[in-house]
Amino acid sequence: MSVYQKSEQPWAKLGTLQVETGGCFVDYVSKHTDGHVIESTASRLTLSATLSLSTGMFAANSDRLKELTRTQNASAFVPVGTTIKAAVPAGAQEMLLFHLSDPPEDLAELDITDSGLEFRNDVVDEHLGALAKEVRRALISGQTEGVNYVEHLIYAFAHRQLSLIRERTAPSHQNTAWISKELIARIHEYVDANLEQPLSLNNVANAVQLPLARVQRALRAETGQSLHQLILHRRVTRARDLLVSTDRTLADISFACGFSSQQHMTNVFSSRLGVSPGRYRRQQGDFGHRRAGRN
């Protein structure tokens, strides 16, 4: 890890400790002696963790500042392009800001403003607090337990935060903007018919002529999956079928299923099925031979 000389974020003016780690950098805000006003438009996905009680005025994508009190272990996420305004009174406020320059694909929902997730700045969770405190300990002590230790902590924080936000924003069947099962079937059909393409979430929503946020809410209510998760699931299912039914190379299969590379397919396939595509193919081949021998 190397210390940043200058941060692109306005918190740098407050004497923060800035540390770069892999695809992330961290602002550790430990002291505020004077009141201050901050306005910033996020150029990266930013997650925050509050380590001490803080009060002030706050607005997201608005000029109307509202009173906000954040307790210890509170967290927030700020997608790219979100403008934050805050007026903080004099006093101490301890917090961490995690800036992710290239979030992994399974965190994409946090960084898409129309993904269907609501902006949250009030998620309070002991596990998030424990992860944040460990990041603080590692930064202050310099004992990082390995080159990418802090980066792994930040991604664990982000995954936990995404899981909690999904739970809190998931609508009930009673108040969901309902869409028919036939329309959900059309979504599945469109995704399956276009898996080889670099499908965007907006492509799918436009194909069924519905706002993306409504598609996301309805899918999550009906299937428990986001649209992004559905696309990944169908890509993995297609890859699994081709691995067993053809002798095409892994690279050919990865592109036939819409993955950006063979490595991308391997990462997603392994994370979902617990086995690499190559090993899955070998296992299925062995299984088929054993069945044939019994017959």
Side-chain angles (χ1 to χ4, degrees):
M1 296 193 302
S2 60
V3 177
Y4 260 32
Q5 297 301 313
K6 183 179 180 182
S7 170
E8 62 190 63
Q9 302 291 343
W11 291 277
K13 300 174 184 178
L14 305 174
T16 65
L17 169 67
Q18 292 119 28
V19 175
E20 183 179 12
T21 172
C24 316
F25 76 85
V26 184
D27 279 326
Y28 172 49
V29 182
S30 57
K31 292 182 180 179
H32 289 209
T33 55
D34 301 319
H36 60 275
V37 177
I38 288 173
E39 179 174 348
S40 175
T41 299
S43 59
R44 312 182 186 196
L45 169 63
T46 298
L47 313 176
S48 74
T50 303
L51 298 169
S52 65
L53 179 69
S54 68
T55 60
M57 306 291 288
F58 176 87
N61 293 327
S62 171
D63 291 325
R64 294 187 60 187
L65 290 167
K66 297 182 180 179
E67 289 188 13
L68 175 68
T69 298
R70 298 187 69 196
T71 62
Q72 188 178 21
N73 298 336
S75 67
F77 80 98
V78 182
V80 170
T82 303
T83 299
I84 296 297
K85 295 182 180 180
V88 181
Q93 175 183 328
E94 189 179 18
M95 65 186 300
L96 286 161
L97 299 163
F98 306 134
H99 311 284
L100 283 62
S101 58
D102 186 21
E105 192 166 359
D106 53 2
L107 291 174
E109 283 178 90
L110 284 176
D111 210 25
I112 300 174
T113 53
D114 58 356
S115 67
L117 291 181
E118 297 176 4
F119 177 87
R120 304 295 303 222
N121 63 9
D122 60 349
V123 179
V124 180
D125 178 67
E126 290 184 2
H127 295 291
L128 289 177
L131 287 166
K133 290 182 178 69
E134 178 60 12
V135 172
R136 176 183 60 185
R137 183 205 64 78
L139 295 182
I140 293 175
S141 68
Q143 298 174 0
T144 59
E145 313 294 340
V147 176
N148 296 318
Y149 182 61
V150 171
E151 184 180 24
H152 290 321
L153 290 173
I154 292 171
Y155 286 139
F157 184 98
H159 281 104
R160 173 70 178 174
Q161 191 179 55
L162 176 57
S163 175
L164 292 170
I165 292 169
R166 280 174 178 162
E167 290 176 8
R168 294 186 180 207
T169 58
S172 67
H173 289 277
Q174 287 72 30
N175 59 20
T176 300
W178 180 81
I179 60 176
S180 68
K181 292 188 181 298
E182 289 77 11
L183 201 51
I184 290 179
R186 282 176 53 198
I187 293 172
H188 281 256
E189 290 171 3
Y190 180 82
V191 169
D192 286 344
N194 293 275
L195 276 182
E196 293 185 28
Q197 310 301 321
L199 274 172
S200 75
L201 304 186
N202 281 315
N203 286 155
V204 181
N206 291 337
V208 296
Q209 299 180 326
L210 282 176
L212 176 57
R214 185 179 175 190
V215 171
Q216 290 278 38
R217 288 195 299 271
L219 271 177
R220 197 172 283 116
E222 290 292 330
T223 69
Q225 289 183 314
S226 68
L227 181 54
H228 176 71
Q229 291 172 311
L230 169 65
I231 293 171
L232 285 182
H233 173 73
R234 299 309 300 164
R235 292 196 197 284
V236 169
T237 300
R238 173 78 58 85
R240 190 176 59 190
D241 292 342
L242 291 176
L243 286 167
V244 175
S245 63
T246 74
D247 59 358
R248 297 171 67 174
T249 66
L250 296 184
D252 284 344
I253 291 174
S254 67
F255 290 115
C257 298
F259 293 104
S260 59
S261 66
Q262 181 179 329
Q263 186 59 53
H264 181 207
M265 179 179 73
T266 297
N267 292 343
V268 175
F269 196 99
S270 300
S271 67
R272 287 176 171 258
L273 299 184
V275 63
S276 69
R279 175 169 287 187
Y280 179 84
R281 169 178 267 174
R282 291 192 296 273
Q283 289 175 344
Q284 294 303 307
D286 291 343
F287 178 69
H289 291 316
R290 289 196 298 272
R291 290 190 62 186
R294 285 198 299 269
N295 293 333

